[in-house]
């Protein structure tokens, strides 16, 4: 009886071993290898998904919003929604290239504390000069040049755009035009694209007089944009960036 059971067990073991060798299945089978063509196709599909450009802004209350307003309602965020960017907004109300105090640090200081330590963006947009126009005989050229130089050294592959002073009407004072001209000269010398909202007449007329687009796009303070004004400024900026081929900065070439 024992011999018969032993012969039967040996036959079953032989049959199982034969099945394993023939089919490669069971506990002794090798793990299946991924299909090379399928893997390549999956990788290609993943790499084909476009990456949203990372764009940083640095500016004053036009850029971050005045006290009591939200940065997500300011024009940088509106431009990001139009163009599908990932946006990081730095700056503070009342600041500029020179203008600053213990509570209102100038752009150079805020660049280091708010933006410069981050991974490189595809595009950096610096917008300002409005508050600098309040300083008699101000010289914004040297600090603007220093800021642009540091940004280039920190992020060699990042494109940079400089925007001149934004103004709440179409009759800015001579001091604002002087600041604008100094910034434009620095931009030309450093081969940085310069956008001039004053010359391009982004804002027309005067809110107090109820004339031009200022009647709709500027608040009663005569300075800051309304929510509609921020969206309008964003649209004007987008037009200029498309003209400069920088609307999609992750694909732009130097």
């Amino acid at each position: 009886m024992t011999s018969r059971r032993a012969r039967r067990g040996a036959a079953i073991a032989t049959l199982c071993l034969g099945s394993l060798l023939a089919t490669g299945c069971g506990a002794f089978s090798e793990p299946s290898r991924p299909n090379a063509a399928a893997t390549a196709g999956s990788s290609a599909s993943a790499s084909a998904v476009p990456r949203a450009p990372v764009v940083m802004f640095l500016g004053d209350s036009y850029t971050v919003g005045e006290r009591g307003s939200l940065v997500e309602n300011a024009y940088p965020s509106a431009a990001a929604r139009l163009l599908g960017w990932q946006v990081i907004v730095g700056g503070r109300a009342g600041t500029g290239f020179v203008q600053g105090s213990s509570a209102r640090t100038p752009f150079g200081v805020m660049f280091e504390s708010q933006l410069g330590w981050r991974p490189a963006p595809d595009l950096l947009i610096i917008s300002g000069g409005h508050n600098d126009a309040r300083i008699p005989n101000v010289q914004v050229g040297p600090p603007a040049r220093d800021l642009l130089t540091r940004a280039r050294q920190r992020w060699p592959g990042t494109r940079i755009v400089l925007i001149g002073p934004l103004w709440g009407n179409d009759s800015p004072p001579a001091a604002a035009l002087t600041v604008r001209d100094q910034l434009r000269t620095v931009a030309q010398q450093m081969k940085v694209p310069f956008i001039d909202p004053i010359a391009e007449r982004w804002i027309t007329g005067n809110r107090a007089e109820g004339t031009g687009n200022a009647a709709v796009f500027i608040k009663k303070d005569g300075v800051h944009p309304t929510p509609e004004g921020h969206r309008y400024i964003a649209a004007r900026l987008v037009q200029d960036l498309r003209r400069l081929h920088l609307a999609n900065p992750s694909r732009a070439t130097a």
Side-chain angles (χ1 to χ4, degrees), residues 169-191:
N169 56 61
D170 60 4
S171 300
L177 299 179
T178 298
V179 168
R180 185 272 312 272
D181 294 344
Q182 292 179 25
L183 292 174
R184 181 171 55 195
T185 297
V186 171
Q188 291 172 344
Q189 292 171 346
M190 299 192 67
K191 301 187 186 319

Side-chain angles (χ1 to χ4, degrees), residues 45-225:
S45 176
S47 63
V49 177
R51 177 181 66 84
V54 176
V55 179
M56 294 184 186
F57 283 79
L58 180 63
D60 51 29
S61 59
Y62 281 93
T63 300
V64 301
E66 71 276 21
R67 179 177 297 181
S69 63
L70 300 175
V71 67
E72 56 265 33
N73 294 330
Y75 80 86
S77 298
R81 286 190 286 270
L82 289 173
L83 294 175
W85 293 339
Q86 297 185 63
V87 67
I88 298 172
V89 182
R92 191 167 297 143
T95 59
F97 293 93
V98 176
Q99 181 73 287
S101 67
S102 58
R104 296 175 176 178
T105 49
F107 288 168
V109 174
M110 289 189 294
F111 171 76
E112 296 294 343
S113 63
Q114 298 182 6
L115 302 178
W117 52 270
R118 300 175 186 270
D122 297 293
L123 178 65
L124 171 65
I125 298 177
I126 302 172
S127 172
H130 181 103
N131 296 305
D132 293 309
R134 302 174 182 175
I135 304 174
N137 302 314
V138 67
Q139 296 295 316
V140 298
R145 184 178 292 104
D146 177 70
L147 175 57
L148 294 173
T149 300
R150 278 189 289 148
R152 276 184 168 170
Q153 291 173 345
R154 193 74 48 84
W155 302 319
T158 295
R159 304 299 299 274
I160 302 175
V161 170
L162 185 59
I163 302 178
L166 288 155
W167 216 260
N169 56 61
D170 60 4
S171 300
L177 299 179
T178 298
V179 168
R180 185 272 312 272
D181 294 344
Q182 292 179 25
L183 292 174
R184 181 171 55 195
T185 297
V186 171
Q188 291 172 344
Q189 292 171 346
M190 299 192 67
K191 301 187 186 319
V192 170
F194 182 71
I195 295 175
D196 187 351
I198 293 176
E200 294 181 14
R201 292 175 57 81
W202 285 14
I203 300 299
T204 61
N206 189 295
R207 169 62 191 255
E209 299 170 359
T211 58
N213 63 26
V216 176
F217 295 147
I218 299 298
K219 291 182 176 180
K220 291 181 179 179
D221 63 9
V223 176
H224 298 100

